[in-house]
Amino acid sequence: QVQLQQWGAGLLKPSESLSLTCAVYGGSFSGYYWNWIRQSPGKGLEWIGVINHDGNTNYNPSLERRVAISLDASKNQFSLRLDSMTAADTAIYYCSRGNGYDWGFYFDHWSQGSMVTVSS
Amino acid sequence: DIQMTQSPSSLSASVGDRVTITCRASQSISTWVAWYQQKPGKAPKLLISKASSLEGGVPSRFSGSGSGTQFTLTISSLQPDDFATYYCQQYNTYSATFARGTRVEVK
């Protein structure tokens, strides 16, 4: 039974950086793609980026100047950093397992999500 | 980016109704489409991948079809547990995109 559990700060001031970590329990870490996705009333579900077990990353072009995803394979954890946060980044953030191919995947397991609010 | 457009944005239905939700892609994406169900306060749950492949544990009243640019999610006989919001997602490229969803409400 695969489970994803995330944690990190939930309230940030404008210009601060978001840092979230996701731990993966059960199942194999290799062979899958580890993603961050966010959801807001304004933009709906928005894919942020992915890292595979080799540490290769891809990011949403709209966010790639501000985002970094890293991996600690020894702990089955991966992390998100999003810089220069603004109110437009207020959303529920999820980590998720991608299943598919290097060029595309669907999301078969999700974390419980956490609300991140950016406010002065 | 490939845009996904879903219709209707909301619908009202009764238990036992047949419900059909449509998703259109801005360019051909073969069958690289997934469907999700989301209930308030919960993460999306995967129902279908590759346009028509039902995930394990998902009731058989859910089905998906389509290819190219037009895709459909059908609930053959709506059950009380099915009132939720449904989303399609394309994975023809690594930059996945989701539609804005269809909210299925009680009539």
Side-chain angles (χ1 to χ4, degrees), chain B:
Chain B
D1 273 5
I2 298 173
Q3 306 303 315
M4 302 296 285
T5 304
Q6 199 170 325
S7 61
S9 57
S10 66
L11 65 89
S12 298
S14 300
V15 172
D17 284 354
R18 182 181 181 88
V19 169
T20 299
I21 298 168
T22 298
C23 191
R24 188 178 75 249
S26 60
Q27 65 187 70
S28 180
I29 55 172
S30 184
T31 55
W32 305 116
V33 162
W35 290 94
Y36 302 84
Q37 176 194 67
Q38 187 177 32
K39 296 182 178 179
K42 300 293 187 182
K45 173 189 173 184
L46 177 67
L47 299 176
I48 288 169
S49 62
K50 210 166 184 298
S52 61
S53 180
L54 201 65
E55 286 297 295
V58 175
S60 58
R61 62 181 179 272
F62 290 92
S63 64
S65 65
S67 66
T69 61
Q70 292 273 89
F71 303 89
T72 300
L73 174 71
T74 299
I75 309 172
S76 60
S77 177
L78 195 67
Q79 297 303 301
D81 191 47
D82 301 339
F83 292 99
T85 301
Y86 294 86
Y87 298 91
C88 61
Q89 172 234 332
Q90 67 80 18
Y91 56 107
N92 187 68
T93 69
Y94 72 83
S95 188
T97 49
F98 295 83
R100 293 308 301 263
T102 296
R103 184 173 178 181
V104 177
E105 300 174 315
V106 177
K107 189 171 186 179

